[in-house]
Amino acid sequence: MSSRSKEKMTAMFRKIFRSSSKNDEGPSKPSPSGSGSPARRLLRGCRDSVSPAPPTGSPAFKAPSSTSTSKSKKPTLEETPINKTVRARRLMKEFKDLQKLQHSKPDPVFTVDLVDDNLFEWHVRVHKLDPESDLGNDMKELGITHIQLHLTFPENFPFAPPFMRVISPRIEKGFVMEGGAICMELLTPRGWASAYTVEAVIMQFAASVVKGQGRIQRKTKGQKGFTKRSAEESFRSLVKTHEKYGWVTPSLADG
């Protein structure tokens, strides 16, 4: 074997030993430039960009507290702000309209005022009735200038009627009952409609008390005064009676 052939054989053996030594050391680390297949590089990028979900105790996760649950408690029907707004808006509008009407005339048929600035409680003074009626003559004779009424408006007004009663003077007949309660179908849930106004209720009373031949009670000695409690009891009783036997009250046109 020539010397040149020996050098070739020696170079070949060196290559073989170098390659075996590299395999024994294990896979080489990836270079900073990003060696390997495209699929491997894509997987490494996904692992680096996706962060694990935060644990339930971390600031990123807030469980609903008991206080927030209690604050979101659904209100009842009577507590809903919209129902209170409907009642307040309706009464405010009607009160302003009636105040404007009564100030526009020197001798209004009736006047309205709030009780202790309470929008849901009114005093009404009826100044004019049929002058040819017995009740009108009684008022002239006794120097009584008006009939005073008291109105309270429930939470679900105008979808339920107000409660109205006579405070003074003491009237007998005329659909005025014990305690000052007023026997009118219009004031009951069965006869009420949300379109009715306070003005219509007052004018209906003025017609009913005359049509029912109301008179001022002259003998008041030993008689109990009109009270809200007795009026409410009397009204409940007469409503039950009239629901059983029907209602007969004059229409507004008859007044």
Side-chain angles (χ1 to χ4, degrees):
M1 181 179 297
S2 64
S3 59
R4 194 169 184 177
S5 299
K6 289 182 180 179
E7 289 177 359
K8 287 183 178 181
M9 290 292 293
T10 303
M12 185 178 65
F13 280 118
R14 284 178 181 175
K15 288 182 179 182
I16 293 173
F17 284 125
R18 285 177 183 175
S19 61
S20 61
S21 63
K22 288 182 179 181
N23 291 334
D24 293 339
E25 290 176 0
S28 60
K29 295 182 180 179
S31 63
S33 60
S35 60
S37 66
R40 289 181 180 275
R41 288 198 299 270
L42 180 61
L43 289 176
R44 284 199 300 270
C46 293
R47 287 195 297 267
D48 294 339
S49 61
V50 178
S51 59
T56 57
S58 67
F61 181 85
K62 294 182 179 180
S65 61
S66 58
T67 55
S68 61
T69 305
S70 60
K71 288 183 180 179
S72 61
K73 179 182 177 182
K74 187 177 180 180
T76 61
L77 179 63
E78 292 185 352
E79 294 173 346
T80 50
I82 188 170
N83 275 359
K84 293 182 179 180
T85 302
V86 168
R87 178 175 67 149
R89 285 182 177 177
R90 171 70 174 269
L91 289 175
M92 181 62 72
K93 182 182 183 304
E94 290 205 40
F95 183 76
K96 287 182 177 180
D97 290 345
L98 293 176
Q99 287 272 303
K100 188 184 298 184
L101 179 64
Q102 71 189 36
H103 291 313
S104 65
K105 298 180 179 180
D107 53 348
V109 176
F110 64 89
T111 58
V112 297
D113 291 294
L114 302 182
V115 179
D116 297 329
D117 292 329
N118 184 358
L119 183 61
F120 310 125
E121 191 173 353
W122 294 15
H123 274 158
V124 177
R125 294 175 178 85
V126 181
H127 300 278
K128 286 187 176 182
L129 295 172
D130 183 358
E132 298 181 358
S133 64
D134 292 336
L135 182 58
N137 291 328
D138 287 348
M139 292 177 67
K140 289 179 182 178
E141 183 182 345
L142 298 173
I144 297 174
T145 59
H146 62 270
I147 297 174
Q148 185 163 344
L149 307 174
H150 181 262
L151 281 79
T152 54
F153 299 90
E155 290 280 349
N156 52 348
F157 180 86
F159 307 107
F163 178 70
M164 185 170 71
R165 64 189 179 95
V166 177
I167 296 180
S168 65
R170 191 180 181 93
I171 299 176
E172 55 186 6
K173 298 183 180 180
F175 301 105
V176 178
M177 314 300 290
E178 185 69 27
I182 301 169
C183 181
M184 282 170 49
E185 186 179 11
L186 183 68
L187 296 174
T188 66
R190 185 176 180 178
W192 177 258
S194 60
Y196 292 155
T197 62
V198 177
E199 180 181 8
V201 173
I202 297 170
M203 296 305 294
Q204 178 69 54
F205 165 77
S208 297
V209 73
V210 170
K211 190 71 175 181
Q213 301 177 356
R215 301 293 300 267
I216 303 296
Q217 189 173 19
R218 299 172 184 265
K219 296 180 180 181
T220 58
K221 188 176 181 179
Q223 297 287 338
K224 294 181 180 179
F226 285 169
T227 63
K228 184 178 180 181
R229 181 176 179 180
S230 60
E232 290 174 342
E233 292 176 353
S234 179
F235 187 75
R236 285 193 294 266
S237 177
L238 67 89
V239 165
K240 289 180 180 179
T241 301
H242 282 288
E243 284 183 347
K244 184 176 181 179
Y245 297 104
W247 289 84
V248 180
T249 54
S251 64
L252 186 59
D254 292 339

